[in-house]
Amino acid sequence: MSADRQPPRLRVERHRVLVVGAGVAALSAALELGDATLLVDTVLGGGSSPWAQGGLAAALERGDTTVAHAEDTVTVSGGIGARPAADVITAAAPEVVHWLQSLGARFDTDGDGSLVLGREAGHRARRIVHANGDATGAEIVRALVDRVRANPAIAVREHTTVVDLVRSEDGRRIVGVVALDRRAGLDRRDEQGGRDGGLTVHLAGAVVLGTGGYGHLFAATTNPPQVCGAAMAMAARAGVDVADAEMVQFHPTALAAPGADPLPLLTEALRGEGAILVNDRGERYMAALHPDAELAPRDIVARGNYAELVAGRRPMLDARAAVGERFPERFPTVFALARAAGLDPRTDLLPVSPAAHYCMGGVATDVDGRASKAGLWVVGEAASTGVHGANRLASNSLLEGVVMGRSVGRLLRRTARPAPERVVVPAAALHVGEHDAEVFAAVRQLLWRHAGVVRDEAGLRAGLAMLGGMVDAEAGTAGPTVRNAVEVAGLVLRSALARTESRGAHCRADFPRSDAAQAARQIVHPAAAPSIVLDIEPAGARPVDAGHLVVAA
Ligand code: SIN
C-alpha cells in the first residue's frame, strides 16, 4: 500500500477545556476560564460579533427593571421564548455592562459621563447601550480580544477549522474535536509519510462551542462567511439534540447593493430615528400593515419589504429627513457601507431587501449552556437556550453571548483533562476534501428560495429534493463548510416542514395562523453519523485497519 493509501495517523493533543469560536461568547468563556485553548477558524474577533450595529440591552435606566426586560424578551418571542433563560440573561445584563467597561470597552456617554441609553423596537424602556453610534459589536470584541491576547494562560490557535466532535467509545460523552490546521494544509504528512490531511484530534475535559449561527447559508444575508452552522452540523453528526432550526430572523433592511455578499446592514436604529420605508412609486406601505409602521416587530417589517419585492416594486429606506446631515457622525458604520456602495444616505434613497440575520435555532441547551451529551457546552448564537423563541428582541444577542459565555466559563473552571484510550468520530471527518464553491452557492440559493421569508410545503419539499441530489454527489469528498451546509440545510428544511403554522419569523403561506398546539420549541434528536473508532496510543502506534484506526498520542 502506498503511503497515500495508508489510513491517516492523526496527531493528538490534550487540553483541559477547549473553546471553539472567535466572537463575544467564545471570548467571554475563555476569559472566565483563564486556562483554556481557543480554536479559531480565522482570527480572534472574526465572525458576526464585530458586525453588530445594534447595541447591548440592559435595564439601567431609572425605573426600568430586569423583570420588565425579561417580559419584553418573552413578549416579542412569538409566545415560545423560555422565561427562565430570559430571566438569566436580563438579570445579568447590568453587571455585564460594568464588566465590559472594566475590561476597557468604551460605550457612548453623555456630557456628564452617564451611559446614553437608546430605545429599540419591542423594548418598553430606554435600555440599549451603544458604542461609537453603530459599532457596538466591534468595540466589545476589541476589548475582549485585547484581554484574551494579554492572558498567557489562554492558548489561541487561529486558522484552525474544527470539523467534527469526538465522542467517548460509548458515544455518550463529547471528549474533544477533530480540527484541521489550515496553515499546515491538507497535504500534511506524518513521520511515516502518510497523509494526515492536517487533522489533529484535540481531547478535552469539556468542549465549548461558540461558533455562531447559520445565517450565511442563505443567499441573502447580513452574516459574514464564517457563520455557516458548524456547531449545529457537528452536533447533529454526533447525535446531539438541536432545536428550532426553522427559526431564522430575517432583518428587514439589508442594503440591496448589487453584487454585495453579504449584504450590508442598515441598522433598525435608523427607523428608530424616524427613517421611513417607501417603494419606487413613492408609497409608504408599512403604515397599512401595522400600527407601529416601520417600527413594527422585525418579522412584520421583513415580510412587508418582501411583499414589495415579490410584487415587482422596490422597497427603499429614506433617512434623508430623519438623519440627513447627521449621518456621518450618528451612523458612521452605515454611512461608510452606503458610500462604498456608491450611495449617499444624506441625499439618496437606500434600496433594501430582507436578509437572514440571526438564528434563534441552534444546538439545544439548557439554561446553563449544557447540550444533550455530557462534556459539550454551547454559547451565543450557536446555542438554542430557547430564550429568543420564534423572534429575538433587538440587542439581546450580544448580551446573551457575553452572559452565557461567562457563565459556562465559570462553571468549567475545575474541569480536569481527560484520558480516553478509545474514541469515536464521524468517518467523514477523516476525509476532508477541498471546498466546492458551486455546491456551497447552490445550497445557499435553495435555502433562500425555499426556506426564506415566506415558506410553503411545496417549496420546502422541492428544497429537500434538491439537497438530496447534492448529498449523493458530495458524500465523503466535501470540505467541512459544504458538509456542514448540507447538514444544516436539511435540518432547517425538515423543521420548517414539520412546523405547520406561522409563528414569529417562521411564516408558512399554507399555514398563515399560529396554532396553540404547536406553541413549543421543536427539539430534534439526530441519529449520529456513521462513525469510526480511534485508539489513542503512545506516539508511534500504527493503524490496525481502515475501520479501526490507531492514532499517535
Ligand atoms: C440592527 O441594528 O438593526 C440589528 C440589531 C440586532 O440584531 O439586534
Side-chain angles (χ1 to χ4, degrees):
M1 192 186 267
S2 78
D4 270 355
R5 309 227 6 210
Q6 294 268 344
R9 297 184 42 182
L10 305 180
R11 287 156 212 238
V12 174
E13 291 186 25
R14 293 175 195 271
H15 314 264
R16 200 175 67 81
V17 178
L18 276 172
V19 181
V20 186
V24 295
L27 294 166
S28 301
L31 278 174
E32 288 290 354
L33 272 158
D35 169 16
T37 304
L38 194 48
L39 302 182
V40 184
D41 187 35
T42 53
V43 291
L44 269 192
S48 288
S49 298
W51 293 34
Q53 294 176 10
L56 186 145
L60 290 163
E61 191 182 37
R62 187 187 294 268
D64 192 12
T65 64
T66 61
V67 172
H69 185 182
E71 285 167 0
D72 290 350
T73 300
V74 174
T75 302
V76 166
S77 74
I80 58 170
R83 181 65 195 256
D87 285 339
V88 166
I89 70 160
T90 57
E95 201 271 317
V96 154
V97 172
H98 298 134
W99 181 69
L100 290 169
Q101 287 179 307
S102 78
L103 298 185
R106 290 184 291 266
F107 296 117
D108 295 342
T109 51
D110 61 17
D112 70 4
S114 310
L115 287 168
V116 175
L117 298 172
R119 188 157 180 183
E120 286 179 358
H123 289 276
R124 285 175 293 167
R126 303 184 70 82
R127 58 169 80 106
I128 317 300
V129 176
H130 286 101
N132 302 319
D134 58 3
T136 316
E139 173 59 10
I140 293 176
V141 165
R142 181 200 63 72
L144 294 173
V145 167
D146 283 355
R147 290 303 176 122
V148 166
R149 290 221 189 269
N151 187 339
I154 303 174
V156 179
R157 305 279 186 82
E158 293 175 314
H159 305 288
T160 302
T161 300
V162 171
V163 297
D164 260 307
L165 297 172
V166 176
R167 281 165 287 149
S168 54
E169 191 182 8
D170 64 7
R172 291 205 185 145
R173 189 176 174 87
I174 302 300
V175 294
V177 303
V178 178
L180 174 67
D181 177 352
R182 288 196 285 107
R183 277 184 288 213
L186 297 174
D187 284 329
R188 189 175 79 181
R189 287 170 188 269
D190 66 13
E191 60 276 20
Q192 269 77 38
R195 216 172 68 129
D196 73 6
L199 295 170
T200 300
V201 174
H202 294 269
L203 299 175
V207 174
V208 182
L209 297 179
T211 51
Y214 42 93
H216 194 80
L217 295 184
F218 290 76
T221 181
T222 61
N223 291 186
Q226 300 92 322
V227 184
C228 284
M232 193 192 254
M234 294 190 296
R237 289 195 292 269
V240 173
D241 291 355
V242 304
D244 297 339
E246 75 280 21
M247 293 302 183
V248 177
Q249 184 169 69
F250 297 95
H251 199 286
T253 56
L255 179 64
D261 179 23
L263 297 174
L265 178 68
L266 304 178
T267 177
E268 182 171 305
L270 288 160
R271 282 172 282 129
E273 295 262 331
I276 57 169
L277 287 161
V278 292
N279 62 24
D280 49 0
R281 296 182 186 169
E283 295 158 344
R284 190 177 166 193
Y285 46 88
M286 276 313 302
L289 299 178
H290 193 278
D292 293 336
E294 284 84 0
L295 287 179
R298 202 172 272 183
D299 56 318
I300 293 173
V301 185
R303 286 195 286 276
N305 288 350
Y306 183 73
E308 291 298 310
L309 286 170
V310 169
R313 297 184 288 268
R314 255 186 127 196
M316 290 178 286
L317 189 71
D318 183 353
R320 293 173 302 179
V323 185
E325 290 306 318
R326 293 184 297 125
F327 228 111
E329 259 182 34
R330 175 67 187 85
F331 296 102
T333 307
V334 174
F335 187 69
L337 291 168
R339 297 298 286 147
L343 294 161
D344 185 337
R346 292 171 297 192
T347 51
D348 294 329
L349 296 176
L350 306 173
V352 295
S353 165
H357 179 64
Y358 184 86
C359 300
M360 281 75 75
V363 182
T365 69
D366 66 11
V367 74
D368 290 326
R370 196 181 276 110
S372 68
K373 279 195 197 290
L376 181 64
W377 305 74
V378 190
V379 292
E381 194 177 349
S384 174
T385 59
V387 65
H388 308 300
N391 217 359
R392 175 179 60 86
L393 182 64
S395 290
N396 264 358
S397 52
L398 289 172
L399 171 65
E400 186 198 16
V402 178
V403 172
M404 294 307 295
R406 291 187 75 195
S407 120
V408 166
R410 285 194 213 107
L411 276 168
L412 296 179
R413 276 182 189 160
R414 292 175 191 279
T415 303
R417 280 169 198 264
E421 293 175 353
R422 188 169 269 196
V423 298
V424 175
V425 299
L430 306 186
H431 302 284
V432 175
E434 301 283 352
H435 182 64
D436 186 332
E438 233 170 81
V439 175
F440 185 58
V443 174
R444 296 182 69 210
Q445 286 298 340
L446 90 79
L447 272 184
W448 176 243
R449 179 153 178 228
H450 297 301
V453 180
V454 179
R455 305 150 172 189
D456 63 22
E457 179 175 346
L460 293 165
R461 287 199 187 285
L464 277 169
M466 290 164 74
L467 199 64
M470 289 176 197
V471 174
D472 287 349
E474 287 302 311
T477 58
T481 308
V482 168
R483 271 200 318 136
N484 292 344
V486 169
E487 187 80 49
V488 172
L491 287 162
V492 171
L493 291 163
R494 283 190 294 275
S495 297
L497 201 51
R499 192 178 278 280
T500 50
E501 63 158 356
S502 290
R503 183 178 296 281
H506 171 68
C507 174
R508 288 276 304 252
D510 46 354
F511 294 97
R513 293 180 193 285
S514 295
D515 169 10
Q518 298 185 54
R521 294 173 81 192
Q522 187 173 193
I523 308 238
V524 173
H525 313 287
S531 296
I532 196 163
V533 178
L534 304 176
D535 280 346
I536 308 294
E537 293 194 344
R542 285 207 152 273
V544 176
D545 61 51
H548 183 115
L549 300 180
V550 178
V551 297

